[in-house]
Amino acid sequence: MQTLNESKALEKLELSIVELEDMKSALDEAVIVAITDKQGIITSVNDRFCAISKYTHDELIGQDHRILNSGYHPQIFFKNMWKTIGKGKTWHGEICNRAKDGSLYWVQTTIVPFMDDRGKPYQYISIRTDITAQKNIQQITHIAYHDDLTGLPNRRSLLKRLKEDVKECKKLDTSFAVLLLDINRFKNVNDGLGHKVGDLFLKEISDRLQTIDSQKDRFYRLNGDEFVYILKDVTQVEEMAERMLSIFKESFSFLGYEFYSSASIGISLFPAHGDSVSDIIKCADIAMYEAKKKNGNISIIYSADLNGINDSLLMLETKLHHALQNNAFELHYQPKITVETGKMEGMEALIRWTDEELGFVPPDQFIPFAEECGLIADIGEWVLTKAAMQAKQWNDQYNTNLRVAVNISPKHLAEQTFVERLQKIIEEVALDPHHLEIEITEMSMMDQNSDLIHKILKLKKMGITISIDDFGTGYSSLSYLKEFPIDALKIDRSFIQNISKEETGVAMVEAIIKIAHALNLAVVAEGVEEERELQILKNYSCEYVQGYYFSKPLNVTDFIHHIEKSLHPQS
């Protein structure tokens, strides 16, 4: 027989259950409801819970909420939640759950403990509302305004912020500064050590920058290896620039690689250097480019005298980028002739560029600038790819063995991945490596470093011919000829122009040919324009010649005619 107290406790429990069921019924139509026991085992769920989780009632009853765990939240998140409700307190928060089909959904959650006579929770009711759409919008907005790699606000966010700052400063008659940081020689890290190291490097730069200012929203990733800092107190601009550069004092270490780096900072001031967002960014960019030319860890504040110089340079750099993107360069080919037979042995690929506004731009104008602004490797790879494809096509089509020669910039050759990238081009084009000749300027050989020798040995092993271009224009002794495994020397045209006029000119050419032959090297004379020049070179056993006496550099169509004419001279 039940005691009076037992009867009252039973009535209270039955009443609580009824209350819970009534509450659940009332909420069924509006929210997602679940009831669990004190261990967290699900004892009841409503239809909306089943609909969003895509589980049936039977699949949920007897389970705990780990069946919905998305892995989004750390373990401490749920520990703190249980700590709160275990003390009889209500918990509020946003939870990301995973439905039965693997999809994720977000719920705004309130968990209410139900207490027994001893003040201990014996049941919990969780009331949830679906906020997935809202969270998706927030996520899309965040992605739109933040850089995926570093987490910093991105270019779009920067432009929005600057627009607001310009408006505010005009209203309050105040000023601000923009500091544009660019990492020096970042391409060397990215290409030499790989894009994974490059990404880790950029992330580390971002992390280090954020340690020098507690207001994280002042740093932005503009693009690539460029970062921007907005400073409201312009009197502190030089001090801030120093602090930004100081992050490069310590080495960087990733995936077993350790290296040092540096940066260049360009600074512009509003409204001193312009009254619009575009003006301020442009002036910072001009100043940064000037700092970059110094090749050190320095900052430069924009001044008007930089504008004229840099406007034309920035325009040229932009045009070079566009020329690469739009495949606007063109290759011309100059035949290389075997002196003994008079037949074409191969050709030299020569880059040409005609811009809609600038007209024809000579290679000796845009190539040095491409080296300076870091585009030479991309241009060099474009030339190698096009020349290899063309040589492959002509040799297959005409059953010839023409070798195409490509001149390589010293800066391109210095790239850590030069050999690997060239090998990839050859494989993709399916070119016989014996049909490719790499011309290296004499100045490239001056250092005689082991890395360069190692690269040339690799190229030789692949079957590629190596020649020294513009021989005779260097400043050192000829000792490097014994150190490098090269195949041929190209006598600079300045010597050829004198051999039919001066005895000293003849003597110089004779000496070069004798030195080359003593080292078992072939000789190519460029710039041959007269019969007498050809005859002298033939007398001294020069193997190959090229120049206007035979042909000027020809576009693809004209070179095809030249090939066909050489194969069928009577037609």
Side-chain angles (χ1 to χ4, degrees):
M1 190 171 179
Q2 292 179 331
T3 65
L4 182 60
N5 287 338
E6 287 174 337
S7 296
K8 287 182 177 180
L10 184 60
E11 288 176 9
K12 188 174 182 180
L13 179 60
E14 289 173 346
L15 183 61
S16 295
I17 293 171
V18 170
E19 287 174 344
L20 281 173
E21 290 298 327
D22 289 343
M23 184 184 298
K24 172 181 170 297
S25 297
L27 293 173
D28 260 352
E29 295 301 317
V31 294
I32 302 154
V33 180
I35 300 173
T36 67
D37 64 18
K38 62 181 179 181
Q39 280 80 34
I41 302 300
I42 298 172
T43 58
S44 177
V45 294
N46 70 346
D47 291 340
R48 291 207 63 187
F49 194 111
C50 294
I52 195 170
S53 70
K54 297 180 173 61
Y55 286 100
T56 65
H57 287 77
D58 291 343
E59 288 174 322
L60 291 168
I61 302 302
Q63 300 285 341
D64 62 28
H65 276 78
R66 277 178 289 199
I67 193 175
L68 306 172
N69 192 350
S70 65
Y72 179 87
H73 304 283
Q75 193 174 3
I76 190 68
F77 175 87
F78 294 106
K79 267 190 173 182
N80 290 334
M81 181 191 76
W82 275 103
K83 189 175 180 181
T84 299
I85 61 178
K87 291 178 180 179
K89 297 178 181 179
T90 301
W91 183 89
H92 302 280
E94 297 177 353
I95 299 179
C96 178
N97 285 334
R98 187 179 299 279
K100 183 179 180 180
D101 64 358
S103 61
L104 299 178
Y105 64 93
W106 282 86
V107 283
Q108 179 69 51
T109 303
T110 298
I111 302 177
V112 181
F114 277 72
M115 316 300 286
D116 61 18
D117 288 340
R118 296 172 300 167
K120 299 290 184 182
Y122 68 91
Q123 276 185 326
Y124 302 98
I125 181 169
S126 62
I127 304 166
R128 302 175 173 91
T129 54
D130 182 6
I131 58 169
T132 305
Q134 175 187 336
K135 294 296 288 188
N136 286 343
I137 291 171
Q138 290 175 359
Q139 187 178 19
I140 291 169
T141 303
H142 182 85
I143 291 171
Y145 285 94
H146 288 80
D147 174 51
D148 185 52
L149 175 64
T150 64
L152 288 176
N154 60 14
R155 183 186 183 89
R156 179 184 281 114
S157 185
L158 171 66
L159 296 178
K160 183 172 180 289
R161 166 72 181 273
L162 286 175
K163 187 176 180 180
E164 293 169 355
D165 285 350
V166 165
K167 185 177 180 180
E168 179 186 354
C169 289
K170 282 182 177 179
K171 183 178 179 180
L172 301 177
D173 194 24
T174 54
S175 59
F176 66 88
V178 168
L179 291 82
L180 171 58
L181 180 148
D182 181 279
I183 303 169
N184 295 332
R185 296 173 296 279
F186 172 70
K187 195 174 188 302
N188 291 352
V189 175
N190 213 31
D191 291 349
L193 303 182
H195 291 280
K196 189 170 184 179
V197 171
D199 286 349
L200 291 171
F201 181 37
L202 290 171
K203 181 70 171 65
E204 177 66 14
I205 294 290
S206 167
D207 292 344
R208 291 189 186 186
L209 284 172
Q210 292 178 83
T211 64
I212 63 179
D213 192 328
S214 57
Q215 297 189 44
K216 311 295 186 187
D217 63 338
R218 292 187 179 183
F219 283 104
Y220 298 78
R221 185 182 179 197
L222 183 59
N223 53 53
D225 60 335
E226 292 182 339
F227 296 84
V228 167
Y229 178 79
I230 299 176
L231 180 64
K232 286 298 184 74
D233 185 359
V234 297
T235 63
Q236 301 295 316
V237 67
E238 292 183 350
E239 178 187 340
M240 189 61 199
E242 285 298 316
R243 290 170 65 187
M244 289 171 69
L245 293 174
S246 71
I247 69 168
F248 293 90
K249 289 181 180 178
E250 299 292 329
S251 66
F252 296 86
S253 182
F254 311 103
L255 304 180
Y257 298 103
E258 183 179 12
F259 57 91
Y260 285 84
S261 186
S262 62
S264 303
I265 296 179
I267 302 168
S268 63
L269 309 175
F270 176 86
H273 299 145
D275 62 356
S276 69
V277 171
S278 59
D279 285 344
I280 295 304
I281 292 179
K282 177 184 175 183
C283 291
D285 195 55
I286 289 171
M288 182 276 292
Y289 186 79
E290 189 66 20
K292 207 168 184 67
K293 289 199 298 187
K294 309 291 184 184
N295 214 29
N297 225 37
I298 64 169
S299 64
I300 288 181
I301 298 177
Y302 172 81
S303 61
D305 59 346
L306 297 177
N307 204 45
I309 300 170
N310 284 279
D311 271 355
S312 59
L313 292 177
L314 287 171
M315 178 187 71
L316 183 58
E317 183 174 356
T318 300
K319 284 183 174 293
L320 281 173
H321 275 286
H322 289 167
L324 265 175
Q325 292 166 3
N326 300 325
N327 208 29
F329 295 115
E330 184 181 6
L331 287 187
H332 285 198
Y333 298 88
Q334 186 171 42
K336 184 189 295 183
I337 307 299
T338 303
V339 174
E340 190 65 33
T341 64
K343 292 182 179 180
M344 182 166 59
E345 179 269 348
M347 58 278 184
E348 180 179 4
L350 300 162
I351 189 169
R352 297 291 183 261
W353 179 33
T354 301
D355 180 76
E356 289 183 1
E357 293 182 37
L358 302 176
F360 175 71
V361 185
D364 60 359
Q365 287 185 18
F366 73 82
I367 292 297
F369 182 73
E371 291 179 325
E372 189 174 318
C373 68
L375 280 173
I376 194 61
D378 292 332
I379 292 175
E381 286 189 21
W382 182 90
V383 173
L384 283 165
T385 303
K386 288 290 184 181
M389 290 172 64
Q390 197 65 77
K392 168 69 174 173
Q393 179 185 337
W394 286 335
N395 284 330
D396 287 352
Q397 183 177 351
Y398 296 105
N399 194 28
T400 53
N401 285 293
L402 298 176
R403 180 188 294 129
V404 65
V406 177
N407 191 290
I408 301 298
S409 159
K411 289 194 175 182
H412 187 189
L413 186 62
E415 295 275 326
Q416 289 293 320
T417 57
F418 173 79
V419 175
E420 288 73 16
R421 286 175 175 268
L422 176 56
Q423 188 169 20
K424 185 178 179 182
I425 289 171
I426 290 172
E427 290 172 355
E428 289 178 348
V429 174
L431 178 73
D432 182 342
H434 294 90
H435 292 154
L436 178 63
E437 180 177 347
I438 297 297
E439 295 184 356
I440 303 170
T441 62
E442 189 176 9
M443 292 305 297
S444 301
M445 320 297 283
M446 295 298 101
D447 291 339
Q448 299 185 38
N449 64 75
S450 58
D451 180 58
L452 181 56
I453 295 174
H454 185 61
K455 284 179 181 175
I456 294 176
L457 284 170
K458 279 187 174 181
L459 296 175
K460 288 277 290 178
K461 190 175 181 180
M462 290 164 58
I464 297 170
T465 299
I466 309 295
S467 62
I468 304 298
D469 193 27
D470 298 336
F471 183 79
T473 60
Y475 302 104
S476 71
S477 70
L478 302 178
S479 61
Y480 69 86
L481 291 178
K482 296 184 294 182
E483 303 293 331
F484 287 92
I486 55 181
D487 300 289
L489 299 181
K490 289 191 75 175
I491 305 176
D492 186 66
R493 68 180 67 248
S494 61
F495 292 102
I496 304 303
Q497 291 170 355
N498 294 323
I499 61 173
S500 62
K501 303 171 186 175
E502 303 174 6
E503 288 298 322
T504 54
V506 175
M508 284 291 292
V509 170
E510 180 187 6
I512 292 172
I513 293 174
K514 285 183 176 180
I515 290 170
H517 289 168
L519 296 170
N520 295 316
L521 303 177
V523 178
V524 183
E526 55 183 352
V528 176
E529 298 181 359
E530 300 175 3
E531 172 70 31
R532 175 166 161 73
E533 293 170 353
L534 175 62
Q535 192 57 51
I536 293 172
L537 292 165
K538 189 172 184 179
N539 292 342
Y540 291 116
S541 301
C542 176
E543 284 86 358
Y544 307 104
V545 291
Q546 63 185 83
Y548 275 52
Y549 179 76
F550 300 96
S551 174
K552 66 178 183 179
L554 305 169
N555 62 31
V556 171
T557 301
D558 291 341
F559 198 85
I560 289 173
H561 293 156
H562 188 87
I563 294 175
E564 292 174 345
K565 185 178 178 181
S566 67
L567 293 174
H568 310 287
Q570 304 304 321
S571 58

